[in-house]
Amino acid sequence: MQQKIIILDFGSQTTQLIGRRVRELDTFCEILPYNKFPKDDEGVIGVILSGSPYSVHDKEAFKVDLNQFIGKYPVLGICYGAQFISYAQGGKVEQTGTREYGRANLETIDTETAIFKGFEKGSQVWMSHGDTITAIPEGYRVTASTNDVKYAAYANEDKRVWCVQFHPEVFHSTQGTQLLKNFVVDVCGSRQEWSAASFVETTVQQLKEQVGNDRVILGLSGGVDSSVCATLLNKAIGKNLTCIFVDHGMLRKDEFKKVMEAYNGLGLNVIGVDASEKFFKDLEGVTDPEQKRKIIGRDFVEVFNAEAKKITDAKWLAQGTIYPDRIESLSITGMVIKSHHNVGGLPKEMHLQLCEPLKWLFKDEVRRVGYELGMPERLIKRHPFPGPGLAVRILGDVTREKVRILQDADDIYIENMHNYTMPDGTSLYDHIWQAGTVLLSTIRSVGVMGDERTYEHPVALRAVTSTDAMTADWAHLPYDFMAKVSNEIINKVKGVNRVCYDISSKPPSTIEWE
């Protein structure tokens, strides 16, 4: 039986980071809404309560019956989770009027308590809360304090409950990973069996049981997610998999041809469909980013439906949906960050069941699975590319001419990135999580070429470093590289006379502009 940690999400921006850190401990975890604790899951070995944008005193604050798990499993409360446990069990949480945000140091630490094993006095942590715990429930004791926060951490070892008002999951908590390891491995008893090899073995067997001898259709995009998904399915069901690659006209330059060639050595049965006319027609005049995504998602399904009818015995549609896709598509607060065209189910008229073998994986885990499957490195190392393609990298409406401009500029950017050698001998491309070019087609700027005035569009270059796309920092690209790329784009791409570089991180900005 697979062990798992349940992370109850109370709406924090960093809930996914908790999950990511637990996975780094080779332990499977599942992020669930705060009110969806599984009652009969025998694999649960521990529970983590996340932070929240709310105060425990807010009328709309998320609240849960702690009796579902306290006394039954080890529990770790983080920030709001710690405050809610105190509040619900007779302690006191007060609105002090002073928001505690940023770095702090644990000046007193009880290293005898399980989660602080190996901690050093003065260990740096990250605070982010408006309320503070001013009294803890009966039977609990303080286990760590800062100069300003008496109850930075408290615990009741008899009930197996540990609480911290700081965020161990973030980078700025320097021993945060140690705290989570102490909880997940030492307290909860994780066998640390979650790995790429175990995932492949388990998932191949599950796919065989799930689809049997049925025929499965998979939408290929050329990206690592769908490629790994296809290879995994091929390993499980072989010839019963049919892959369809839809060209919506907004792929990278020459992408359709390159992708079809890339799959030749994988033994996949791939059908290529050029549906660009339909997509461009339906996107005509549309400027709203969310509407673009919905139109492309709808058209993708319609094209797929038409192809599916030709494969009369198909019963399943497989998709390379990964965990961050599902997390970003709908939070528990009801706020959609951005919709993903392969998230949210299928229209009834497709008459196909949905198969998503990668739905629990973060992006770096997908890549590790790809290596485990023996896939070509050129496919595994490809940067993420949005399902709607360049449509969400063009501000404003989408036309063939704008796509042509962006394809040419982006091709120069990415090829130069491949060709730029870093001090360690690898390419700059391999140091970047994701890079792409954005066409600011709603803006024109004045320029001069030769003796002539120009009035054309700027493009923005984007490059970020990350491990899972839940957070990302802008990449510090070499100046000589940026100078070469800028000069080449302006000289070679008709319609562009200015190149900018995006230096915003996620959060607050998303990786894509739309």
Side-chain angles (χ1 to χ4, degrees):
M1 181 182 299
Q2 179 174 261
Q3 294 180 318
K4 67 174 69 170
I5 297 290
I6 296 297
I7 301 170
L8 294 180
D9 181 15
F10 288 83
S12 170
Q13 291 185 48
T14 60
T15 300
Q16 294 76 34
L17 280 180
I18 303 172
R20 191 63 201 88
R21 300 296 176 249
V22 172
R23 294 283 183 89
E24 288 172 354
L25 297 169
D26 299 321
T27 304
F28 183 72
C29 64
E30 188 172 348
I31 298 173
L32 296 173
Y34 68 98
N35 57 353
K36 299 294 183 183
F37 182 78
K39 296 180 180 179
D40 302 311
D41 192 332
E42 296 181 359
V44 178
I45 60 173
V47 182
I48 298 177
L49 278 62
S50 82
S52 175
Y54 295 118
S55 159
V56 295
H57 300 291
D58 290 343
K59 184 178 180 181
E60 64 271 32
F62 299 134
K63 297 178 180 178
V64 65
D65 179 6
L66 297 175
N67 293 323
Q68 295 176 89
F69 37 82
I70 286 185
K72 300 176 183 178
Y73 308 96
V75 176
L76 174 63
I78 295 175
C79 196
Y80 176 91
Q83 293 176 354
F84 179 74
I85 290 173
S86 176
Y87 171 82
Q89 299 212 321
K92 185 179 292 186
V93 179
E94 295 184 283
Q95 296 175 320
T96 61
T98 302
R99 180 174 171 80
E100 294 162 338
Y101 182 85
R103 294 175 178 84
N105 298 93
L106 300 180
E107 299 302 337
T108 60
I109 309 171
D110 179 1
T111 55
E112 295 299 313
T113 194
I115 65 169
F116 286 121
K117 184 180 71 176
F119 263 62
E120 300 172 356
K121 185 178 184 298
S123 182
Q124 179 180 286
V125 296
W126 186 262
M127 297 283 189
S128 180
H129 56 91
D131 293 352
T132 194
I133 297 169
T134 55
I136 54 178
E138 184 177 349
Y140 287 79
R141 64 187 183 86
V142 62
T143 55
S145 303
T146 70
N147 286 333
D148 300 318
V149 181
K150 179 179 180 180
Y151 301 110
Y154 67 97
N156 184 325
E157 282 90 348
D158 293 335
K159 290 184 176 181
R160 296 191 297 169
V161 179
W162 292 264
C163 297
V164 296
Q165 281 204 89
F166 55 88
H167 288 270
E169 70 274 19
V170 304
F171 173 78
H172 302 294
S173 291
T174 53
Q175 291 188 279
T177 299
Q178 178 69 40
L179 186 151
L180 291 172
K181 181 177 184 293
N182 290 342
F183 178 73
V184 171
V185 179
D186 297 345
V187 173
C188 298
S190 169
R191 296 188 295 265
Q192 296 184 280
E193 297 173 335
W194 173 255
S195 66
S198 67
F199 175 82
V200 170
E201 181 182 358
T202 302
T203 305
V204 166
Q205 184 58 38
Q206 289 174 344
L207 287 170
K208 289 179 178 178
E209 295 172 359
Q210 181 183 17
V211 305
N213 292 319
D214 295 345
R215 183 165 300 280
V216 179
I217 301 173
L218 169 68
L220 283 174
S221 68
V224 62
D225 299 338
S226 66
S227 299
V228 170
C229 183
T231 308
L232 193 61
L233 276 161
N234 190 46
K235 184 177 178 68
I237 63 174
K239 60 182 176 61
N240 284 338
L241 172 67
T242 299
C243 301
I244 298 173
F245 180 29
V246 176
D247 181 6
H248 50 40
M250 289 153 283
L251 301 171
R252 290 190 175 112
K253 189 173 184 178
D254 300 326
E255 180 90 342
F256 188 71
K257 177 183 176 182
K258 291 177 181 177
V259 167
M260 293 296 287
E261 291 174 350
Y263 290 128
N264 284 341
L266 292 177
L268 300 177
N269 175 28
V270 184
I271 299 170
V273 182
D274 181 358
S276 56
E277 286 294 337
K278 174 179 177 59
F279 283 87
F280 277 111
K281 182 177 183 298
D282 291 349
L283 285 169
E284 189 173 343
V286 177
T287 59
D288 179 72
E290 190 64 14
Q291 191 64 19
K292 288 182 191 177
R293 288 179 177 271
K294 290 185 181 299
I295 289 171
I296 291 170
R298 181 200 68 201
D299 284 3
F300 180 84
V301 170
E302 289 179 3
V303 172
F304 232 96
N305 195 22
E307 291 300 320
K309 289 179 180 177
K310 300 175 185 177
I311 306 171
T312 56
D313 58 343
K315 295 184 179 180
W316 296 84
L317 174 65
Q319 294 183 152
T321 311
I322 64 174
Y323 211 15
D325 294 341
R326 298 191 296 134
I327 292 167
E328 283 193 333
S329 288
L330 184 63
S331 71
I332 64 167
T333 60
M335 179 189 298
V336 174
I337 298 172
K338 59 181 179 180
S339 64
H340 290 261
H341 78 291
N342 58 347
V343 173
L346 300 170
K348 293 179 180 179
E349 65 268 19
M350 286 198 73
H351 306 297
L352 295 174
Q353 299 177 75
L354 189 60
C355 175
E356 297 175 305
L358 307 182
K359 66 181 180 180
W360 293 110
L361 299 187
F362 290 92
K363 179 71 76 172
D364 57 322
E365 293 175 318
V366 174
R367 289 197 169 102
R368 287 203 293 272
V369 168
Y371 281 115
E372 183 67 28
L373 290 167
M375 291 175 60
E377 193 169 59
R378 68 181 182 276
L379 281 178
I380 298 172
K381 283 191 171 183
R382 294 198 75 189
H383 289 178
F385 188 67
L390 300 180
V392 292
R393 291 181 179 174
I394 296 174
L395 302 192
D397 65 331
V398 180
T399 66
R400 284 191 179 273
E401 175 60 12
K402 290 178 182 178
V403 170
R404 191 275 307 164
I405 293 171
L406 188 51
Q407 283 178 334
D408 288 346
D410 189 68
D411 187 59
I412 290 170
Y413 183 34
I414 299 301
E415 282 305 306
N416 272 280
M417 198 168 273
H418 276 295
N419 296 333
Y420 190 94
T421 303
M422 298 294 284
D424 63 0
T426 62
S427 73
L428 176 58
Y429 185 88
D430 291 340
H431 286 251
I432 303 300
W433 169 265
Q434 184 172 339
T437 311
V438 180
L439 178 63
L440 282 62
S441 66
T442 57
I443 301 171
R444 289 182 182 272
S445 67
V446 174
V448 59
M449 291 185 181
D451 295 324
E452 295 185 7
R453 175 186 183 273
T454 62
Y455 191 52
E456 296 178 327
H457 301 296
V459 295
L461 306 181
R462 180 77 157 137
V464 298
T465 56
S466 182
T467 57
D468 51 34
M470 298 312 304
T471 61
D473 196 12
W474 62 277
H476 295 227
L477 300 180
Y479 285 169
D480 58 335
F481 167 81
M482 296 176 74
K484 184 176 185 298
V485 168
S486 175
N487 188 59
E488 195 170 336
I489 288 175
I490 291 172
N491 285 336
K492 293 184 177 180
V493 182
K494 184 179 180 181
V496 176
N497 67 353
R498 192 177 298 271
V499 175
C500 310
Y501 186 57
D502 182 348
I503 59 170
S504 50
S505 297
K506 175 186 179 181
S509 303
T510 54
I511 295 176
E512 299 293 344
W513 276 44
E514 292 193 341

